[in-house]
Amino acid sequence: MDYLFKAVHKIDYDAESFSEVEIHPNFDNFVTELLTNINDNVVNKAYVPTSQSTQVVNDVRSIFSLLEVTEIESEEMAIRVKSYADDIAQRLFDKEKLKQEQIYHMGQNVKKGSLIQAAIKSGDTYAYLLAKVEHSSFVDDSDFSFKSGFSSEQKKIWKTCILNCSIEDENILVNEAKIYVSNSGKYWADDFLELRELSTDAQNTKRAFNAIDTILTREVKKNAPSDYTVIRNTFVGYMKSEQQLDYNEMVSVILDNYDADTLSQECIAELKNKLMELPENKKFDRLFTVVPKEIKARVKQLYKVNEGIEIKVNDFVQDIKQKISAEEDVTTGAKYIRIMTNNEDVYQQFK
């Protein structure tokens, strides 16, 4: 992995300025670790450019064009590359200042920090890193002087973006982006980077629920119908109650300590593995905000229990096994469905 260019800018919208920060010799190690964490982070969201001519995308394309395509003197190239990096930092400064003005009256603040930029070449692939990290003052314990800098701790990294690029016949293109934000940070992708989500929250919700439902129907319903009822009902309840959904966490919470009726631990582990593969296979993000209306029409289950009698489950049922259960008369062998009711009128009609 080669770092063709790197820069750090301290963004301070209060002081109405941004400034370039001197880079430490060990900076490459920090960026390498940062890239590894970003690529391994399963809650990244996929984006694409709205256009190849938007400001940040065009600046990145120009930087790679200078570094890899254009044959100019190194000193002039360095000046021109720096000007594009400064332009990106200026845009973030402008957008953060505007965002701060919008949210100040609500008692909120845009977190202050530094913007890390790095142009990277790995084999035949190119990527441009943008990361917003916490920048704060500290006391140097070697001489007790006041200094400022950013932490290497991953929890201090608030927003990241990797722009994946290609070079074809000296034409630079930004093909896709991988983004992580530690909070809502919508301005980062929408306003600053001008990128478009590959999958919207509505699409994520629909694809995730449909994919889970298909796996449960195929892998569990026939061989372990009682487990299917409970597991599916729990997924419905989880997705409808979690506004921002961490897909990996949901699968683990539901299955890791599940007390099965029929399924073996091996079958549960295999089911979990198949569910964990769905986001890549079915093209939805692992972190998204649930859109309830995309689930509502899909949660209904209809059970034919006898001639002219059906049970319809319209929504998540808390403690479903206690409210709907199966019984068998040991004398006659007749099978019954026992349903708890809190509706006195209905109860009286069947008493």
Side-chain angles (χ1 to χ4, degrees), residues 31 34-35 37-39 41 44-49 56-57 60 64 88 92 114-120 126-133 157-165 174-182 185 187-190 192-196:
V31 174
L34 179 58
L35 283 168
N37 279 277
I38 294 170
N39 285 317
N41 190 343
N44 288 315
K45 295 175 75 73
Y47 285 75
V48 291
V56 174
V57 167
V60 169
F64 277 118
I88 293 173
L92 179 60
S114 294
L115 175 66
I116 295 174
Q117 300 183 60
I120 305 142
Y126 296 84
Y128 199 86
L129 167 70
L130 294 155
K132 174 75 180 295
V133 299
I157 298 168
W158 296 317
K159 300 172 180 65
T160 61
C161 174
I162 295 179
L163 296 167
N164 293 313
C165 310
V174 175
N175 302 312
E176 60 182 3
K178 187 183 293 185
I179 285 183
Y180 165 77
V181 292
S182 61
Y187 78 90
W188 175 258
D190 292 2
F192 168 50
L193 296 168
E194 298 177 278
L195 301 174
R196 173 178 58 83

Side-chain angles (χ1 to χ4, degrees), residues 319-337:
D319 301 321
I320 190 170
K321 294 287 283 185
Q322 281 70 52
K323 293 176 180 175
I324 306 176
S325 58
E327 297 181 1
E328 183 175 354
D329 189 312
V330 294
T331 303
T332 65
K335 295 179 173 64
Y336 298 89
I337 301 297

Side-chain angles (χ1 to χ4, degrees), residues 101-114:
E101 292 171 356
Q102 293 172 344
I103 65 176
Y104 178 75
H105 70 282
M106 296 184 288
Q108 299 177 356
N109 293 288
V110 174
K111 292 181 178 179
K112 300 172 187 176
S114 294

Side-chain angles (χ1 to χ4, degrees), residues 53-118:
S53 59
T54 54
Q55 185 175 333
V56 174
V57 167
N58 191 57
D59 283 342
V60 169
R61 294 175 64 211
S62 298
I63 287 171
F64 277 118
S65 179
L66 286 166
L67 294 171
E68 287 291 281
V69 178
T70 307
E71 295 181 1
I72 60 175
E73 294 295 328
S74 58
E75 185 176 344
E76 180 187 352
M77 180 181 71
I79 294 171
R80 291 171 62 180
V81 167
K82 181 182 180 302
S83 70
Y84 287 118
D86 288 346
D87 190 53
I88 293 173
Q90 177 71 59
R91 180 176 179 84
L92 179 60
F93 168 78
D94 292 340
K95 295 301 178 182
E96 291 199 341
K97 184 180 177 183
L98 178 61
K99 186 66 177 179
Q100 180 60 29
E101 292 171 356
Q102 293 172 344
I103 65 176
Y104 178 75
H105 70 282
M106 296 184 288
Q108 299 177 356
N109 293 288
V110 174
K111 292 181 178 179
K112 300 172 187 176
S114 294
L115 175 66
I116 295 174
Q117 300 183 60

